[in-house]
Amino acid sequence: MKQTKLDSKSIQWIKDNPKEFTEELIRKSKLVNKFSNELEPYRIKKDKEGYQKLFKELLKKEEEKEWKKE
């Protein structure tokens, strides 16, 4: 898997909006903690493709749940 680098526009936004960036990072970390146990088998098997696919699906579901609560 290739590591993507942030472009200069994204870096500038982070520098200009550190509070919003930090809040979003914390929010996503809490969501990931909710389903990290489901990802564990993929991590142990070192199945990066399966891990990434399941991660995206689970993150999307958790974000939808969060939006419904608000």
Side-chain angles (χ1 to χ4, degrees), residues 5-58:
K5 295 183 179 180
L6 294 173
D7 60 5
S8 60
K9 189 175 183 180
S10 297
I11 293 171
Q12 188 59 45
W13 183 87
I14 292 169
K15 288 178 180 178
D16 293 341
N17 302 289
K19 186 176 181 181
E20 289 87 353
F21 175 75
T22 305
E23 288 172 355
E24 184 68 14
L25 187 63
I26 291 169
R27 186 183 73 78
K28 293 250 181 170
S29 294
K30 288 179 182 177
L31 291 177
V32 170
N33 281 335
K34 290 183 180 180
F35 59 77
S36 62
N37 59 334
E38 295 177 43
L39 293 169
E40 190 66 13
Y42 292 96
R43 189 188 67 78
I44 292 170
K45 293 178 192 174
K46 298 182 180 179
D47 179 4
K48 292 181 181 181
E49 291 178 11
Y51 183 96
Q52 287 296 327
K53 182 179 177 185
L54 184 60
F55 177 82
K56 288 177 184 178
E57 291 173 10
L58 293 171

